[in-house]
Amino acid sequence: MARIYVFLANGFEEMEALAPVDILRRGGQEVSTVSVSGTLWVESSHGITVKADMLFDECDLASADMLLLPGGMPGSVNLNSHEGLRLALLSHAERGGRIGAICAAPMVLGSLGLLKGRRATCSPGFEVYLDGAEYTQELVTVDGNIITGEGPGASMPYAYKILSFFVDEDAVKALQKKMQYTHLMECKPL
């Protein structure tokens, strides 16, 4: 079972934070939401207040298998301004730990130099913050230990791809079927 931390800052995008939490927990992973806002209560970009599992200072980052950054504005800017999180991301990357960021949040990785020479995606318009990366415009992009997602619509495929790092393909497919995701993928666009 992987230990995964999802960092929440005021202004986070709900789908990008909570869809991965839900899918990864259903997939048997140990997922904790971590507030970087100084209180357990964190307000999303659409005014929904969520109670995080813990505060930043309470999490054991040395034991983490993966660190995840949801997008949203100003959530991504707030994540980027949290010095403790920035240092944790650098340390985790140095150890080769997995890192995920979606929508506007890849800007945090770009500002830390973690995307130089890598392929990455993000919400259109934020590619200017992917310092040194090749912008793929894909729904989900994996390059080594870093996975990036485009935006809210990528939340489920992004989460299933993350789950595939920790369980076998059959387990991912079984969960997709159980959650009717496979049916969704068969639907024609509206």
Side-chain angles (χ1 to χ4, degrees):
M1 175 186 328
R3 177 172 287 171
I4 302 166
Y5 291 109
V6 179
F7 297 93
L8 304 178
N10 286 322
F12 73 92
E13 194 344 285
E14 303 88 348
M15 290 176 59
E16 297 164 359
L18 300 179
V21 169
D22 180 272
I23 289 168
L24 293 166
R25 286 182 179 174
R26 287 178 194 238
Q29 307 312 299
E30 183 182 329
V31 183
S32 298
T33 55
V34 180
S35 170
V36 300
S37 301
T39 174
L40 288 176
W41 296 98
V42 187
E43 187 175 337
S44 75
S45 59
H46 298 102
I48 299 170
T49 301
V50 173
K51 185 179 181 188
D53 296 315
M54 64 182 68
L55 297 172
F56 180 81
D57 294 335
E58 298 171 338
C59 63
D60 178 13
L61 294 168
S63 70
D65 294 297
M66 187 159 200
L67 307 179
L68 294 178
L69 306 177
M73 291 300 283
S76 296
V77 170
N78 291 335
L79 290 172
N80 201 28
S81 68
H82 191 279
E83 201 55 40
L85 176 58
R86 291 173 57 82
L87 292 172
L89 289 164
L90 288 169
S91 176
H92 193 70
E94 190 174 293
R95 291 192 306 270
R98 292 189 180 276
I99 298 172
I102 188 169
C103 193
M107 70 187 284
V108 178
L109 307 182
S111 76
L112 293 169
L114 296 176
L115 297 178
K116 288 185 193 269
R118 293 181 181 258
R119 300 173 70 249
T121 194
C122 63
S123 181
F126 284 87
E127 66 274 8
V128 297
Y129 301 107
L130 304 183
D131 188 31
E134 175 191 338
Y135 174 47
T136 67
Q137 299 181 28
E138 296 171 334
L139 200 59
V140 177
T141 299
V142 178
D143 189 328
N145 64 324
I146 294 180
I147 181 171
T148 51
E150 188 177 39
S155 297
M156 290 183 78
Y158 170 78
Y160 286 122
K161 186 63 179 176
I162 292 167
L163 182 60
S164 77
F165 299 152
F166 305 110
V167 301
D168 65 33
E169 185 179 339
D170 289 340
V172 173
K173 285 181 179 179
L175 183 58
Q176 288 174 331
K177 183 176 181 182
K178 184 177 180 182
M179 293 181 70
Q180 295 83 45
Y181 181 77
T182 51
H183 183 74
L184 172 69
M185 297 312 296
E186 297 166 357
C187 291
K188 294 179 185 174
L190 298 174

